[in-house]
Amino acid sequence: NAGVTQTPKFQVLKTGQSMTLQCAQDMNHEYMSWYRQDPGMGLRLIHYSVGAGITDQGEVPNGYNVSRSTTEDFPLRLLSAAPSQTSVYFCASSFGPGSYNEQFFGPGTRLTVL
Amino acid sequence: GESVGLHLPTLSVQEGDNSIINCAYSNSASDYFIWYKQESGKGPQFIIDIRSNMDKRQGQRVTVLLNKTVKHLSLQIAATQPGDSAVYFCAVPMYSGGGADGLTFGKGTHLIIQP
């Protein structure tokens, strides 16, 4: 099992550009989520999904879109990047509800917006 | 809303000593608590969890203690090794406060191992 994979590992964008951060898991987990981590901070929940076709907002959803067309994939879209979105982004998955099950995290995508 | 606080951003210990990392939480309705370890350049990794009906839980070289009276939990690492060097986060469910299905993380304690 590859676990949770994320691409790209690093990305530099200019303000206003769009991009998609990819996340995939091969553990047949129903729950997937996206977190961002800023320097000296804990992780903050952006969006999550409890199954294919179902998504919902987390703590800091503004500026981000998600979709869940398959169990395996959960891409995160930035429609118009802003410097405030400079951060490290982690995707996670779990067998059951994200609040009460061990989360498996990907290696992260480090995004810089100039 | 839910918040998880931390007592020390950095903790330096001698190799072989025991380490204690502390965490405080704000929501008395929190019923599940988790510790994650994050090594440099990697994603967080689950260490141990504890439910609110327990005061103590032990794993391999790690122990989590929960004091619901003062809303405090701690992670104890026995015989600290160089591989324990990482940032340690405590986390609680957002959902127990009526929030989203995810976790609220503390800011983390950076554990530094001195040889």
Side-chain angles (χ1 to χ4, degrees), chain A residues 31 35 37 42 90 98-100 103, chain B residues 31 36 38 93 101-103 106:
Chain A
Y31 178 93
Y35 288 84
Q37 184 177 31
F90 290 99
S99 294
Y100 293 91
Q103 295 297 301
Chain B
D31 55 0
Y36 282 88
Q38 185 177 27
D101 184 9
L103 298 172

Side-chain angles (χ1 to χ4, degrees), chain A:
Chain A
N1 281 355
V4 180
T5 58
Q6 293 183 237
T7 56
K9 198 166 181 61
F10 301 94
Q11 183 70 50
V12 179
L13 292 177
K14 295 181 180 178
T15 297
Q17 287 185 316
S18 63
M19 81 159 295
T20 299
L21 280 62
Q22 301 291 344
C23 174
Q25 53 90 11
D26 61 359
M27 297 174 283
N28 202 30
H29 287 172
E30 289 296 322
Y31 178 93
M32 296 185 74
S33 58
W34 279 100
Y35 288 84
R36 61 177 287 174
Q37 184 177 31
D38 299 307
M41 300 287 289
L43 285 73
R44 290 183 293 168
L45 182 67
I46 305 171
H47 284 285
Y48 65 98
S49 170
V50 298
I54 306 169
T55 64
D56 208 340
Q57 295 182 350
E59 182 184 2
V60 288
N62 292 343
Y64 307 95
N65 281 350
V66 292
S67 60
R68 184 93 180 271
S69 57
T70 67
T71 299
E72 294 78 19
D73 301 297
F74 191 42
L76 179 72
R77 296 184 186 84
L78 284 71
L79 298 179
S80 179
S84 61
Q85 293 178 305
T86 294
S87 189
V88 182
Y89 291 85
F90 290 99
C91 180
S93 71
S94 62
F95 281 113
S99 294
Y100 293 91
N101 287 272
E102 176 183 349
Q103 295 297 301
F104 293 83
F105 284 87
T109 293
R110 185 175 294 274
L111 175 67
T112 302
V113 183
L114 303 175

Side-chain angles (χ1 to χ4, degrees), chain B residues 8-12 108-112:
Chain B
L8 280 177
T10 302
L11 176 65
S12 182
T109 291
H110 186 192
L111 180 63
I112 299 170

